[in-house]
Amino acid sequence: MTATFMDLKLNESLIEGLKKQGIELPTNIQANAIPPALENKDIIGQSQTGSGKTLAYLLPIFQKVDSSKREMQAIILAPTHELVMQIDKQIKTLAENAEIPMKSISIIGNVNIERQIEKLREKPHIIVGSAGRILELIKKRKINAQTVKTIVIDEGDRLLDINNIGIVKDVIKTTQRDRQLMVFSATINDRAMSISKELMKEAVVVKAEEQEQLNPNVEHLYFVAEQRDKIEVLRKLIASMEPERAIVFINRSEEIDTTTSKLKFHKLNAMGIYGAAEKQDRKKALEGFRSGKVQLLVASDLAARGLDIQDVYYIFNLDLPEEPKEYLHRAGRTGRMGKQGLVLSIVTEKEAELIKKYQNVFKINISQKEIYMGAIAEPGTKQEKKAIKNKN
Ligand code: AMP
């Protein structure tokens, strides 16, 4: 049975806030990490970006931080500016949707420290940033680490490596001994594990369980095309198979708009689905798709998270995902509940290499086909027919 956020003992306002973002059910890492995190346990969490790990630690922080106090209560350390900004954005979105007056600030290096000091006067509850600059501000007594109850180390595999560990430890040392420490990491090697344990009282190790099997009812095909011809191949495939509805996957969320426009230009009935943040558009696209008004839903892996769509037979990969896990997730959108499904990937010569990898990883057959005279044919058919024609 899948746990709900209520089962995890999150409070009502957070659950309502998540709903507004289109988030209804916890991901695996959230289901495993939230209960011990709420009990103030120290946590080592293994999970990839994209698994919902940010909310796995943010939700317990939101529940535990007293936003009526003007005190810094949580520090989140992340290795890159981009990740810091993403985390900060998730905090602000959740605070708004859950209507909780939680204040956060992002603190990164290489930007004007005076402005950060100015912003810190507002006494944010959560500080997200790079360890170096945060340590500097603690030393300048602009951040009071004594009131911090939770420290999160995101991308622990990087922050606990030989280059960063010193500074990260220094930040941790400035806080009280009984604070909670959570380390999240895509992979936890022995070194990261032993360092984490050394820093923790008693660590609870949680993992996002990987679902590794591909559904045997799903068939996999691929078509080789030049990048610029991919849409045309997709158009032909749609014309040939006339699916009632299909999901078209691309890799980058930023390209959903342009891809949708291109499909529309080819007279295809397509609509883009965006990340959980753009809730109105998301709802509209989903309703259109479910009711049959929209034939093709254009999505990225991110945008498709948490989508519950039954009865999709066709999945098209207009880009091939770079991770086997993502191929698996996309394929998992079809053939649900014992039904059949078909995954069609339109790939460049280069991407075709990845096809081989997926065949090996999942021990499945992904057959190469081509589209000839409006129908799916065995590879080489076009050349064969041409040769015959030339002979005659
Ligand atoms: P992360 O792994 O934290 O980078 O999260 C990736 C994306 O998944 C973010 O855009 C989140 O908004 C979204 N997300 C997180 N948790 C869930 C959930 N339980 N259901 C659907 N989407 C989620």
Side-chain angles (χ1 to χ4, degrees), residues 142-208:
K142 302 298 174 192
I143 293 176
N144 179 3
Q146 293 295 309
T147 51
V148 167
K149 299 191 175 58
T150 303
I151 300 187
V152 177
I153 301 178
D154 199 333
E155 296 206 356
D157 31 6
R158 276 184 64 183
L159 284 185
L160 300 179
D161 74 10
I162 202 97
N163 300 319
N164 295 299
I165 181 68
I167 255 173
V168 169
K169 268 190 181 164
D170 285 348
V171 172
I172 295 173
K173 274 189 217 145
T174 62
T175 60
Q176 304 268 23
R177 279 188 75 85
D178 61 351
R179 44 86 201 115
Q180 175 187 36
L181 180 62
M182 297 194 256
V183 175
F184 281 83
S185 188
T187 50
I188 302 177
N189 52 30
D190 291 349
R191 183 190 140 82
M193 185 65 96
S194 67
I195 292 177
S196 301
K197 285 192 173 158
E198 192 187 302
L199 295 167
M200 294 176 174
K201 285 157 271 177
E202 192 188 338
V204 176
V205 181
V206 294
K207 287 185 184 170

Side-chain angles (χ1 to χ4, degrees), residues 212-313:
E212 284 190 345
Q213 287 288 306
L214 265 170
N215 182 339
N217 296 331
V218 176
E219 198 183 339
H220 304 259
L221 305 178
Y222 77 98
F223 300 80
V224 177
E226 299 278 342
Q227 186 65 32
R228 61 172 182 276
D229 297 332
K230 281 187 171 186
I231 301 250
E232 179 59 12
V233 174
L234 176 68
R235 191 193 61 76
K236 286 181 180 165
L237 287 169
I238 301 279
S240 141
M241 292 182 295
E242 301 181 334
E244 196 180 323
R245 55 168 81 92
I247 304 180
V248 177
F249 273 104
I250 59 173
N251 286 357
R252 295 162 56 84
S253 302
E254 307 86 82
E255 288 170 6
I256 293 178
D257 248 347
T258 43
T259 309
T260 309
S261 305
K262 281 185 201 159
L263 295 179
K264 283 190 177 154
F265 181 78
H266 281 85
K267 305 264 180 305
L268 290 167
N269 174 4
M271 196 163 194
I273 181 131
Y274 301 89
E278 289 91 341
K279 204 197 136 216
Q280 277 310 325
D281 289 349
R282 188 172 166 94
K283 218 169 138 204
K284 205 167 116 204
L286 274 179
E287 279 169 5
F289 191 63
R290 287 202 183 108
S291 69
K293 262 190 239 146
V294 173
Q295 185 188 21
L296 304 178
L297 199 60
V298 182
S300 64
D301 298 283
L302 252 176
R305 280 202 64 91
L307 274 193
D308 180 29
I309 298 173
Q310 308 284 336
D311 284 333
V312 200
Y313 179 81

Side-chain angles (χ1 to χ4, degrees), residues 108-160:
I108 51 184
N110 298 330
V111 300
N112 188 323
I113 195 165
E114 292 305 326
R115 284 200 47 203
Q116 291 175 340
I117 293 174
E118 190 59 39
K119 280 203 282 172
L120 282 166
R121 294 214 174 94
E122 290 170 30
K123 296 274 184 269
H125 304 103
I126 308 176
I127 295 168
V128 192
S130 49
R133 181 56 69 89
I134 289 181
L135 186 64
E136 197 179 335
L137 286 160
I138 292 174
K139 285 189 179 151
K140 282 184 190 290
R141 297 183 180 281
K142 302 298 174 192
I143 293 176
N144 179 3
Q146 293 295 309
T147 51
V148 167
K149 299 191 175 58
T150 303
I151 300 187
V152 177
I153 301 178
D154 199 333
E155 296 206 356
D157 31 6
R158 276 184 64 183
L159 284 185
L160 300 179

Side-chain angles (χ1 to χ4, degrees), residues 214-215 217-223 237 241 246-249 312-321 326-335 340-347 355 358 364-369 376:
L214 265 170
N215 182 339
N217 296 331
V218 176
E219 198 183 339
H220 304 259
L221 305 178
Y222 77 98
F223 300 80
L237 287 169
M241 292 182 295
I247 304 180
V248 177
F249 273 104
V312 200
Y313 179 81
Y314 297 94
I315 302 290
F316 291 96
N317 289 323
L318 205 51
D319 299 315
L320 205 59
E326 284 164 357
Y327 186 90
L328 190 107
H329 281 161
R330 293 180 186 185
R333 306 264 163 202
T334 181
Q340 309 279 314
L342 188 58
V343 181
L344 304 106
S345 303
I346 305 171
V347 304
I355 290 277
Y358 297 159
I364 53 165
N365 191 17
I366 311 182
S367 334
Q368 186 178 0
K369 300 281 177 194
I376 295 181

Side-chain angles (χ1 to χ4, degrees), residues 5 23 25-27 30 49-55 90 302 305-306:
F5 283 115
I23 296 179
L25 281 174
T27 61
Q30 290 162 1
T49 296
S51 61
K53 70 169 158 125
T54 317
L55 285 175
Q90 287 210 38
L302 252 176
R305 280 202 64 91

